Structures are given as structure tokens and as C-alpha cells.
Amino acid sequence: MGWMDRIKASLGSRKDVPPQRLDPAEVLYSMPTIAGDALQFRAPDPATADGAPQFHEDEWCQLEFWPAAALPQLQRALTEYKAFEVAHRLPNGWSALHVRHLDRPVLVQAPGAVQRLADQFATLPIAAPILTTSAQALGQVVGGFAIQPSSDVLLHGLADAGGVRALGATLDGDDMQLSAVFATLHAAFGLVLVDWRQQFVLTAVEANGDFSVWQA
């Protein structure tokens, strides 16, 4: 539900409520950053939507994997974003939204890139995710895919003829499961894990099992 819809809902359907003025400067965002991918959607049908995961559009690639070679680009982006986030942070939200527009390299090369990801977890890809707003479903992501590597981790992303172009994760519970997924994908494909909300990157797994972390 957008902020205008929430305002209408709070006023209800009473006709005796006088119009109210709202200063746009007072409208706050509940999170400081979202991915700027130009996603396309299609209406789900039984053939494409059976078992499709659903989550809010703002969760798209808030946790995401990138090639290790892109670490300098990620460090610059996180440094810029941190300054933006601090400048716009207020007690109950953020006064502006940072939309990430980053050039995405191929993470896993074709052919069979999505299946090769799933093979790391001895599973199969599932239907492309259906993204929602607070009020309605937007639709099923065109070119999207999803993989469930463990009970509390869902991988989602975009793939084309060149391979996997975006690879995000959502976590529902045990963060050790996400750590294990990172360790697997780092070993198999040399990927790092970015947490945009917490502003850090898991860059490697040390010989003793600890993680190397870069913090903005």
C-alpha cells in the first residue's frame, strides 16, 4: 500500500471528514534503499505460478551476491550509500530513498546457469517469484527464477541467455543457513554477499571457518 492509500485508509469512508493537507517533506520512507532493477511482470497462471514464492517488492536483492571481482565497485557504492543514509536518517524513518542503479555483470555463466546454482544444494529451481506491494500482487518476474537451498533461505534472481545476472536472498529465521549458502556459493563461483541494510560485504571464508567482512 502506498503512502496515499494508507492516508485514505486512515481517514476511512466518512464523508464528513474535511480535506487535510500533507507536507510531502513529512512523508518518511520505512527503509533507506531499494534495488533499481527495471523488473517486468506477467500475470501468473497455473503452469508458471505453482509453488512460486511471494515477497514484497522492497525485499528484492536487499541481500545479494556479486562476483568477488566487483568488490571495489561495491565498496564505492556502499560508501556513497552510507553517507546518503546518514544524511537522511530520522527517528521514525528516512526523508529520501536511495535507489541502487548498478551495472550487473554475469554471476554464473550460461549454459545451464540456474540449474548449476541449484545443483550446489542438490535441489531444483522453482517457479519465478511473485512480487507484491502491501496492497496487491505485482505479478511474476519475467526472466526470474528461485531456488530454495534450505528451509530458511530463498534465492531469487534474473537469468538470460548469458547466465545469471542478479542473485538475491531472503532470510526467514536461521542466519547460519544463509552463512552456509554463502560459503557454498563463494567456493563454487567466487561470489561475495552484500547486505545493503547492514552496509557490509562478506568477502571470503577463512581457513578456520571465519568470514572476512568489509564494513562501510
Side-chain angles (χ1 to χ4, degrees):
M1 182 184 294
W3 60 267
M4 183 59 73
D5 293 322
R6 289 196 294 271
I7 293 168
K8 290 179 179 177
S10 69
L11 294 176
S13 59
R14 289 177 52 196
K15 296 182 179 179
D16 59 341
V17 176
Q20 298 186 24
R21 298 182 65 85
L22 179 68
D23 183 354
E26 296 178 357
V27 177
L28 300 182
Y29 295 92
S30 61
M31 61 178 58
T33 184
I34 58 171
D37 297 324
L39 300 177
Q40 297 180 340
F41 302 96
R42 62 171 179 263
D45 62 53
T48 61
D50 185 31
Q54 298 187 35
F55 53 89
H56 195 282
E57 61 177 338
D58 291 347
E59 296 300 318
W60 178 267
C61 287
Q62 292 286 36
L63 291 163
E64 63 175 334
F65 294 89
W66 277 71
L71 183 59
Q73 176 187 356
L74 294 170
Q75 290 171 326
R76 289 192 297 272
L78 279 163
T79 300
E80 294 171 359
Y81 160 57
K82 182 179 179 67
F84 175 96
E85 189 270 332
V86 170
H88 294 281
R89 186 191 305 157
L90 296 171
N92 297 312
W94 287 266
S95 60
L97 184 66
H98 181 274
V99 182
R100 307 187 304 271
H101 294 286
L102 302 175
D103 293 330
R104 292 191 176 279
V106 174
L107 284 78
V108 182
Q109 297 282 345
V114 174
Q115 184 58 59
R116 288 166 57 204
L117 276 172
D119 287 345
Q120 301 301 315
F121 308 101
T123 190
L124 294 172
I126 56 179
I130 297 170
L131 300 193
T132 68
T133 67
S134 298
Q136 64 183 359
L138 295 171
Q140 197 162 21
V141 178
V142 175
F145 67 89
I147 298 168
Q148 188 89 51
S150 66
S151 61
D152 291 354
V153 178
L154 175 74
L155 299 179
H156 61 268
L158 297 171
D160 59 20
V164 172
R165 295 281 180 177
L167 182 60
T170 60
L171 177 64
D172 183 22
D174 183 6
D175 58 5
M176 291 302 295
Q177 292 186 25
L178 181 60
S179 298
V181 169
F182 162 68
T184 297
L185 296 181
H186 180 74
F189 304 108
L191 302 182
V192 299
L193 177 61
V194 188
D195 186 327
W196 290 100
R197 287 173 175 157
Q198 301 298 318
Q199 303 173 5
F200 69 78
V201 186
L202 295 184
T203 61
V205 182
E206 303 297 337
N208 63 0
D210 291 341
F211 296 114
S212 295
V213 181
W214 183 88
Q215 180 81 51

